Amino acid sequence: MDIKMELKDKLKEIGAVLLYETSNHNEIGVLGGTTGVSLFHFYYAKFLNENSHTDKGVEMIFETFDRIQKGYNYPTFCDGISGALWGLELLKEEQFIELDEDIITPETDEYLLIMMKKDIESNYYDFLHGAIGYGFYFLKRYENSISRISKKRYKEYLDVLVVFFKDTAIKNENGIWWKSRNSLDQNKFEGCNLSLSHGISSIINFLSRLAAHPVFYDDVSNLLKLAVNYLICNKNENTELVSSFSNFIFEGEFIDPFSRLAWCYGDLGIGLTLLRVGEVLNDEELYQEAILILKQTTKRRSFVETTVKDAGICHGAFGIMHIYNHVYKKTKNSVFKKACHFWARTGLDMAIYVDGHAGYKEYYRRDHWKSETSLLGGVAGIGLAIISYLADFDTKWDEALLIG
C-alpha cells in the first residue's frame, strides 16, 4: 500500500480515538493538555472538510474557558493556562474560531506575569514549564493585538524577560550562555543545557522570534549573535562521533558527547534553531551551517544511533518525520524528503499495541509505557504531524514546539 494511504488510514484511526475517547488529562495546556488535542480536531476538520471534529474542538475550548473561570490556576505553557491561551490565539490566527481581543482579561495576564517573575527570581527559564513559556504566550498576544495600549503592555512584559536574559548571561571567550539546574542518571548539577525543550536553544529560538520584530531587534540581536557563537563553538569536532552536540556542558566539558535524535534534545532542535536564526539575521553562513548539521542527522537510522523507542512528537518517530518534513518544505533538498519518508514508515510500524490509542503508546521512563492523547507525547501530536505531511494547506500548530 502507498505510504500516503497508510498514513491517511492511521489518521482516520487517531481521529476516531480522539473523537470518542475521554481525555486522560487533567491539564489544559497546548503541549501536555486538552488544548493541544483541540488543535488536532480543528486541523483534522479542515483536512476532511467536515464539521464533527470542529464541533469537538469547540466543545473542548468551551470546557477550557469554563475551567479557568471556575478557578483552574496551573500556569505553565506545556500544561497550563499560558499554553491554553496561546492555543486560542493560534486558533484565531488560523481562522478556526473568532475571539474578541478582550476575552482574555488583564487579571489573567497579570497573574501569568507574576508567575513569570517568580520563575525569573529562581533563574528558571525553561520553555515548557518556566519563564520562556510565559514569554512565548505574551509574544503571541503582542503579535495579535490590535490595540496600541495592549501592544505596549505586552512589550513591557517581554522586556522583563529580555532584561533577565541580559542580566543572567554568562560570558566567556566563545560567547554567552545561561546556567540551569540539570539532572542526568539521578545526578543533579548546574551547567549549560543545550536542548530546545529545556536549554539555551530555546532561549536562542525565542530571542530570534523577538528579533523578527524591529521594536525588539536592537535590544536582542547582540545577545542572539553571542549565544549562537557559543553554541557553534561547542559543536563536536570529532567526525567519528554520532552527534554534533552534547546535551549538557559542565565546567566547560561535554557530559557525554552523544545526544538522542529527537525534538526535545540533540541535533535536530539545535539545527532547527540555528536555521531560524540564520534566516532572521540574514546570515547565509549560519544558515548553511544549520543545513549541514541537519543533513548529518539524516544518516542516523539505527536504534543505537537514535535511541528512538516510540512514535510521539517529543522523542519519537513522528516528531522526527515532522522536523524533516518542515526542513524539506523550506529547503527542497531531497535528503530531507527521504529522511521524512523513512521516519514516516518507522512511525507506522510502531503501532503495535492492541491496548494503545490507534496502536500507540508513549515511552515514559524506565520501561514504563502509557496510552497518551496529548500533542507532545501522544496521538494528537502524531495526528497533527500526519496532517502536515498529507495536507495541501500550510499548518502552524508546530509553532508550539518552536518549529514554525
Side-chain angles (χ1 to χ4, degrees), residues 14 17 34 41 65 82 103 111 119 138 147 163 176 178 183 186 188 199 201 221 231 236 261-262 303 311 363 369 380:
I14 291 170
V17 166
T34 54
H41 288 298
F65 264 112
S82 58
I103 195 169
Y111 168 67
D119 282 338
F138 292 141
S147 160
V163 169
I176 59 172
W178 290 267
S183 60
Q186 299 183 328
K188 297 186 182 300
S201 289
S221 57
L231 199 54
N236 296 328
L261 192 69
F303 176 76
Y363 178 77
W369 295 77

Side-chain angles (χ1 to χ4, degrees), residues 31-50:
L31 294 179
T34 54
T35 299
V37 181
S38 75
L39 291 186
F40 169 84
H41 288 298
F42 284 104
Y43 279 107
Y44 192 38
K46 182 174 181 178
F47 181 78
L48 294 175
N49 194 28
E50 61 87 40

